[in-house]
Amino acid sequence: MEHQLHSGTAKLTLVEGGRHTEINYGKANSKATAKVFARLPSILQTTLMLEELLALFQEQTQPILAFDSFHFLHQGVYQVDSDTAHHHRCHYKLEMNGTYLGDLTLTRRHKFSDSDIKLLEDLLCLLVYPIRNCLLYRQALSSALKDTLTGLGNRSAYEANLTREIDIARRHQTPLSLLVMDIDNFKNINDSYGHNSGDRALKVVADTVVQALRLSDACYRFGGEEFTILLGNTDIKAARLVAERIRIAVSQILCNDGKQNFSFTASLGIAQLHQREQGYHLFERADMALYQAKQTGRNLTVCAPSPAQV
């Protein structure tokens, strides 16, 4: 089902819920419906946050469509469920210019009439562009927080998530540990094998670390050859086991630059969040532990003492 909207093509595919009907864009069959069509476009332009956009759409359209539940899914990652789904439903796949925008489903206890479906499709035509803009905004934010070489979060992402993880740890009174890792003698890799080989080493290390972590853990490229790893609900003893698993895995990496193989090691410093400690202090203690590992001989893991023990 296609409907031409200004400079693009919005495609609404009715997957389940009724037979295909022609769209009468902007057609209003009551004063209440006319008011919704008049104000909805400007209301949907007030936010670029997808959660807020969908909430506004539900709030404005529910009185004239009388649906019981609202569900939105985008690529299995972003999901909104306003209530338990009921038997009768209208399920749409949303696209614009060949780009998938998500699946939207409305359900209720009684059947959707042909006039209900026409009204819903007219309303969805007003939603497609704002959804597209919200998804582009989310993509831009994600790109701004991602390291393009390794695909990991960058320093900005680390700092933002560190604040969130500290808040969670304090609210639930659970431990939080930070690992700071550095590839040993990384300059020698660039000097001996070239910067392309150095980039290759960084990518392989990033993949190796991610494979060694739980899904709830997060690794970031802090800068250069230095990485930070946040381990939620993990004390320093458990964090040391993770660090050793990572250190050993990195030492077993064998890279190839197209001409020859080369290997390398990494050193790690660990610190556990202490009472009312700030994020920058936690990093300083983990970074100092990393420095000690480097000074002691590299390819080592060192745990930072708690502030009370210093």
Side-chain angles (χ1 to χ4, degrees), residues 5 17 40 59 65 68 91 132 142 146-147 153 165 193 199 201 229 235 240 249 276 297 302 306:
L5 292 173
L40 188 59
E59 177 186 297
L65 272 173
D68 294 320
H91 175 195
R132 190 271 315 259
S142 177
K146 182 176 291 187
D147 175 60
E165 289 295 333
Y193 306 104
D199 288 349
I229 303 162
D235 63 21
R240 182 179 179 85
R276 296 184 179 180
V302 173
S306 67

CSV table of all heavy atoms in Angstrom, one decimal, residues 5 17 40 59 65 68 91 132 142 146-147 153 165 193 199 201 229 235 240 249 276 297 302 306:
chain,number,residue,atom,x,y,z
A,5,LEU,N,3.7,11.2,-0.3
A,5,LEU,CA,3.8,12.3,0.7
A,5,LEU,C,4.9,13.3,0.3
A,5,LEU,O,6.0,13.1,0.5
A,5,LEU,CB,4.1,11.7,2.1
A,5,LEU,CG,3.0,10.9,2.7
A,5,LEU,CD1,3.5,10.3,4.0
A,5,LEU,CD2,1.8,11.7,3.0
A,17,GLY,N,-5.1,-7.8,9.9
A,17,GLY,CA,-6.1,-7.1,10.5
A,17,GLY,C,-7.3,-6.6,9.6
A,17,GLY,O,-8.3,-6.1,10.1
A,40,LEU,N,-2.3,17.3,14.9
A,40,LEU,CA,-1.3,16.2,15.0
A,40,LEU,C,0.1,16.5,14.3
A,40,LEU,O,1.1,16.3,15.0
A,40,LEU,CB,-1.9,14.9,14.5
A,40,LEU,CG,-1.1,13.6,14.7
A,40,LEU,CD1,-0.8,13.4,16.2
A,40,LEU,CD2,-1.7,12.4,14.1
A,59,GLU,N,-1.5,9.2,22.5
A,59,GLU,CA,-2.4,10.2,23.3
A,59,GLU,C,-3.4,10.9,22.4
A,59,GLU,O,-4.5,11.1,22.8
A,59,GLU,CB,-1.5,11.1,24.0
A,59,GLU,CG,-2.2,12.2,24.8
A,59,GLU,CD,-1.2,13.2,25.4
A,59,GLU,OE1,-0.4,12.8,26.2
A,59,GLU,OE2,-1.3,14.4,25.0
A,65,LEU,N,-9.8,6.5,17.7
A,65,LEU,CA,-9.7,5.2,17.2
A,65,LEU,C,-10.1,4.1,18.3
A,65,LEU,O,-10.4,3.0,17.9
A,65,LEU,CB,-8.3,4.9,16.8
A,65,LEU,CG,-7.9,5.2,15.4
A,65,LEU,CD1,-6.4,5.0,15.1
A,65,LEU,CD2,-8.7,4.4,14.4
A,68,ASP,N,-7.1,-0.5,22.3
A,68,ASP,CA,-6.8,-0.9,23.7
A,68,ASP,C,-5.3,-1.1,24.0
A,68,ASP,O,-4.8,-0.9,25.1
A,68,ASP,CB,-7.5,-2.3,24.0
A,68,ASP,CG,-9.0,-2.1,24.1
A,68,ASP,OD1,-9.5,-1.1,24.6
A,68,ASP,OD2,-9.7,-3.1,23.6
A,91,HIS,N,-2.0,-4.6,12.0
A,91,HIS,CA,-0.6,-4.7,12.1
A,91,HIS,C,0.0,-4.2,10.8
A,91,HIS,O,-0.3,-4.7,9.7
A,91,HIS,CB,-0.1,-6.2,12.3
A,91,HIS,CG,1.3,-6.4,12.3
A,91,HIS,ND1,1.9,-7.6,12.2
A,91,HIS,CD2,2.4,-5.5,12.4
A,91,HIS,CE1,3.2,-7.5,12.2
A,91,HIS,NE2,3.5,-6.2,12.3
A,132,ARG,N,10.7,8.6,10.8
A,132,ARG,CA,11.9,8.6,10.1
A,132,ARG,C,12.9,9.6,10.7
A,132,ARG,O,14.1,9.3,10.8
A,132,ARG,CB,11.6,9.0,8.6
A,132,ARG,CG,12.8,8.8,7.6
A,132,ARG,CD,13.6,10.0,7.4
A,132,ARG,NE,12.9,11.3,7.3
A,132,ARG,CZ,12.7,11.9,6.2
A,132,ARG,NH1,13.1,11.4,5.0
A,132,ARG,NH2,12.1,13.1,6.2
A,142,SER,N,24.0,7.8,18.0
A,142,SER,CA,24.8,6.5,18.2
A,142,SER,C,26.2,6.7,17.5
A,142,SER,O,27.2,6.2,18.1
A,142,SER,CB,24.0,5.4,17.5
A,142,SER,OG,24.8,4.2,17.6
A,146,LYS,N,30.3,6.4,19.0
A,146,LYS,CA,30.9,5.2,18.6
A,146,LYS,C,32.3,5.5,18.0
A,146,LYS,O,32.5,6.4,17.3
A,146,LYS,CB,30.1,4.4,17.6
A,146,LYS,CG,30.6,3.1,17.1
A,146,LYS,CD,29.7,2.4,16.2
A,146,LYS,CE,28.4,1.9,16.9
A,146,LYS,NZ,27.6,1.1,16.1
A,147,ASP,N,33.3,4.6,18.4
A,147,ASP,CA,34.6,4.7,17.8
A,147,ASP,C,34.5,4.0,16.4
A,147,ASP,O,34.2,2.8,16.3
A,147,ASP,CB,35.6,3.9,18.6
A,147,ASP,CG,37.0,3.9,18.0
A,147,ASP,OD1,37.5,4.9,17.7
A,147,ASP,OD2,37.5,2.7,17.8
A,153,GLY,N,32.1,1.7,21.9
A,153,GLY,CA,31.7,3.1,22.4
A,153,GLY,C,33.0,3.9,22.5
A,153,GLY,O,34.1,3.3,22.8
A,165,GLU,N,26.1,3.8,35.4
A,165,GLU,CA,26.4,2.6,36.2
A,165,GLU,C,26.7,2.9,37.6
A,165,GLU,O,26.3,2.1,38.5
A,165,GLU,CB,27.6,1.9,35.5
A,165,GLU,CG,27.4,1.3,34.2
A,165,GLU,CD,26.4,0.1,34.3
A,165,GLU,OE1,26.3,-0.5,35.4
A,165,GLU,OE2,25.7,-0.1,33.3
A,193,TYR,N,55.5,-2.6,11.8
A,193,TYR,CA,54.6,-3.2,10.9
A,193,TYR,C,53.7,-2.2,10.1
A,193,TYR,O,53.0,-2.6,9.2
A,193,TYR,CB,53.7,-4.3,11.5
A,193,TYR,CG,54.5,-5.3,12.3
A,193,TYR,CD1,54.5,-5.3,13.7
A,193,TYR,CD2,55.1,-6.3,11.7
A,193,TYR,CE1,55.2,-6.2,14.4
A,193,TYR,CE2,55.8,-7.3,12.4
A,193,TYR,CZ,55.9,-7.2,13.7
A,193,TYR,OH,56.6,-8.2,14.4
A,199,ASP,N,46.1,-0.6,13.4
A,199,ASP,CA,44.7,-0.5,13.3
A,199,ASP,C,44.1,-1.9,13.4
A,199,ASP,O,43.1,-2.2,14.1
A,199,ASP,CB,44.2,0.2,12.1
A,199,ASP,CG,44.5,1.7,12.1
A,199,ASP,OD1,44.8,2.2,13.2
A,199,ASP,OD2,44.3,2.3,11.0
A,201,ALA,N,45.4,-4.5,14.8
A,201,ALA,CA,45.6,-5.0,16.2
A,201,ALA,C,44.5,-4.4,17.1
A,201,ALA,O,43.9,-5.2,17.9
A,201,ALA,CB,47.0,-4.6,16.7
A,229,ILE,N,36.7,-0.8,30.6
A,229,ILE,CA,35.7,-1.9,30.6
A,229,ILE,C,34.9,-1.7,31.9
A,229,ILE,O,35.5,-1.7,33.0
A,229,ILE,CB,36.3,-3.3,30.6
A,229,ILE,CG1,37.2,-3.4,29.3
A,229,ILE,CG2,35.2,-4.4,30.6
A,229,ILE,CD1,38.2,-4.5,29.3
A,235,ASP,N,32.4,-7.4,41.9
A,235,ASP,CA,33.4,-6.9,42.8
A,235,ASP,C,34.8,-7.1,42.3
A,235,ASP,O,35.0,-7.7,41.2
A,235,ASP,CB,33.3,-7.6,44.2
A,235,ASP,CG,33.5,-9.1,44.2
A,235,ASP,OD1,34.2,-9.6,43.3
A,235,ASP,OD2,33.0,-9.8,45.1
A,240,ARG,N,38.9,-9.3,38.7
A,240,ARG,CA,40.3,-9.8,38.4
A,240,ARG,C,40.2,-11.1,37.5
A,240,ARG,O,41.1,-11.2,36.6
A,240,ARG,CB,41.0,-10.1,39.7
A,240,ARG,CG,42.5,-10.6,39.4
A,240,ARG,CD,43.2,-10.8,40.7
A,240,ARG,NE,44.6,-11.3,40.4
A,240,ARG,CZ,45.6,-10.5,40.1
A,240,ARG,NH1,45.5,-9.2,40.1
A,240,ARG,NH2,46.8,-11.0,39.8
A,249,ALA,N,43.7,-14.0,26.7
A,249,ALA,CA,43.1,-14.1,25.3
A,249,ALA,C,43.9,-13.2,24.4
A,249,ALA,O,44.2,-13.5,23.2
A,249,ALA,CB,41.6,-13.7,25.3
A,276,ARG,N,31.2,6.8,48.3
A,276,ARG,CA,30.7,8.0,47.5
A,276,ARG,C,31.8,8.5,46.5
A,276,ARG,O,31.7,9.6,46.1
A,276,ARG,CB,30.4,9.1,48.5
A,276,ARG,CG,29.2,8.8,49.4
A,276,ARG,CD,28.9,9.9,50.3
A,276,ARG,NE,27.7,9.6,51.2
A,276,ARG,CZ,27.2,10.5,52.0
A,276,ARG,NH1,27.7,11.7,52.1
A,276,ARG,NH2,26.2,10.1,52.8
A,297,GLY,N,56.4,-4.9,34.6
A,297,GLY,CA,56.9,-5.8,33.5
A,297,GLY,C,56.0,-6.0,32.4
A,297,GLY,O,56.3,-6.8,31.5
A,302,VAL,N,46.9,-5.7,37.6
A,302,VAL,CA,47.1,-5.2,39.0
A,302,VAL,C,45.8,-4.6,39.5
A,302,VAL,O,45.1,-3.9,38.8
A,302,VAL,CB,48.2,-4.1,39.0
A,302,VAL,CG1,48.3,-3.4,40.4
A,302,VAL,CG2,49.5,-4.7,38.6
A,306,SER,N,41.6,-0.1,47.9
A,306,SER,CA,40.6,0.8,48.1
A,306,SER,C,41.2,2.1,48.7
A,306,SER,O,42.3,2.0,49.3
A,306,SER,CB,39.5,0.2,49.1
A,306,SER,OG,40.1,0.0,50.3
